[in-house]
Every structure is written in structure tokens, then in C-alpha cells.
Amino acid sequence: MTRNKKILIGVVLVLLAAMCIWTVQSVPDRVKDAPPLEKRVMTYNGNTIVEEKDGRKLWEITAESMEVDIDTQDAAIVNLDAMFYTEDGRTIHLTAPKANYKAKEKFLTAEGGIKGDSTDGAHMKCDRAEWRAAEEKIVLIGNAELQRESDAVKAAGDRIESQDGFNKFKITGHAHLEKGSNK
């Protein structure tokens, strides 16, 4: 090999080594303290969410304002106004100052002093209420009270739950039940 070829090979090797060093050195370091990704949220005023099953409306939620996480579809609700529809045609109307809806679980939790009534004359109130769509169950929690005018039933307890719009219900914790006449 001639001397010129040896010099040319040496120059090429030095350039390749320099390019490798430059490539490694120019790769940015991993960001260790990157700020967390912010939730992507949409805010609505006066919005309504409706759930239907087999063409029948199960419930309808209206809110003064609602923040919905774009990725999970979970919602934080202010001044909830909810209507639940039973299979026999009755409706249950609940209001609450605030609520949260978990879209994946189809689970609604309302808090802050819930009041409600139904089209057949039942009245209810509690500290917290839950709607469990998978079970089609409404649960009144904390200082739960139910009064039905149709059969003069008064129920109170830590928890009252029903799957049929409070025709039948279960009371747990400090349960108290009175049944009287309509007179």
C-alpha cells in the first residue's frame, strides 16, 4: 500500500471517529424533571348527558357547569339536576350541588345535600347519592330518608338502596321504618 493510500485511510478513520463522537455528544439528555402532562379538560355550561339502553332512556343529567376530561370522559359537575327513568314509567328527580361521573364505570356520585322526589309522590334526601348503572341501582348514603305518600312509608338509615325506583328498597345502618295509613 502506498503512503498516500495510508494517509487517506487514516483521514477517513479520523473523520468517522469524529462523526461518531459528535453524534453521541449531540443526543439530548433525558429530561428527568419534566412537568407532568396536564389534564385535557373541556368546560361546558348548561350541558346534558343522557344514557340509553335498548332504546329506553335510563337517566339524564343536566348541570349548571361541567368539566369533562377529554381522555377519560369523566366529568366534574356543578349543580346537578338528574332524572332517572324506571321501567314502569315513573321518574325520580334528584338535585345536588356537586357530582362526579366516571364514564368507564358509568358511575355517578352526587354530594353536598341531595334532595329528590318521584312522580308517584316519594320524597328523599341524603348527604350523598350514587347511581350504579351496571346494576341500575340508586343508593342514598348518609342521613338517608325516604318518604312515600302512596303507602305512608317513612324510612331512614345510613344507607337506602333500590333497583326499582324505591318500590322495594333496603335500609342499612341505624335503620328505621314506619308504615302508616294515608288518612
Side-chain angles (χ1 to χ4, degrees), residues 1 23 53 110 114 123 129 171:
M1 212 185 299
T23 301
K53 181 179 180 183
I114 289 74
H123 305 283
I171 310 169

Side-chain angles (χ1 to χ4, degrees), residues 26-181:
S26 66
V27 172
D29 291 335
R30 180 184 292 169
V31 179
K32 294 180 182 176
D33 296 324
L37 295 176
E38 290 187 27
K39 278 185 170 182
R40 299 182 322 144
V41 175
M42 291 180 66
T43 302
Y44 299 95
N45 291 319
N47 197 30
T48 300
I49 300 175
V50 177
E51 174 85 16
E52 291 184 0
K53 181 179 180 183
D54 300 328
R56 183 177 72 87
K57 191 183 288 190
L58 299 176
W59 53 264
E60 180 175 22
I61 297 170
T62 303
E64 180 179 302
S65 68
M66 189 180 302
E67 287 187 356
V68 179
D69 184 309
I70 294 170
D71 299 315
T72 65
Q73 296 299 301
D74 294 347
I77 301 165
V78 175
N79 289 332
L80 169 78
D81 191 322
M83 191 71 73
F84 299 92
Y85 300 90
T86 63
E87 285 189 33
D88 63 5
R90 292 176 302 117
T91 59
I92 298 170
H93 178 240
L94 292 177
T95 59
K98 64 180 181 176
N100 288 297
Y101 177 66
K102 299 289 184 191
K104 185 177 179 183
E105 296 88 7
K106 294 184 179 179
F107 183 75
L108 175 74
T109 303
E111 298 178 332
I114 289 74
K115 293 180 181 177
D117 51 31
S118 68
T119 53
D120 64 350
H123 305 283
M124 58 209 76
K125 65 180 182 176
C126 60
D127 298 332
R128 184 171 150 215
E130 295 176 352
W131 166 248
R132 301 171 182 205
E135 304 167 60
E136 293 188 24
K137 182 185 289 188
I138 296 177
V139 183
L140 308 176
I141 302 168
N143 299 308
E145 294 180 20
L146 170 67
Q147 184 174 354
R148 291 192 317 213
E149 293 174 2
S150 61
D151 56 1
V153 167
K154 291 182 182 180
D158 294 335
R159 180 184 182 101
I160 302 174
E161 58 186 67
S162 178
Q163 289 180 292
D164 68 352
F166 297 101
N167 277 330
K168 296 177 190 170
F169 55 88
K170 176 180 166 183
I171 310 169
T172 54
H174 299 96
H176 180 76
L177 180 67
E178 290 180 32
K179 187 169 182 176
S181 68

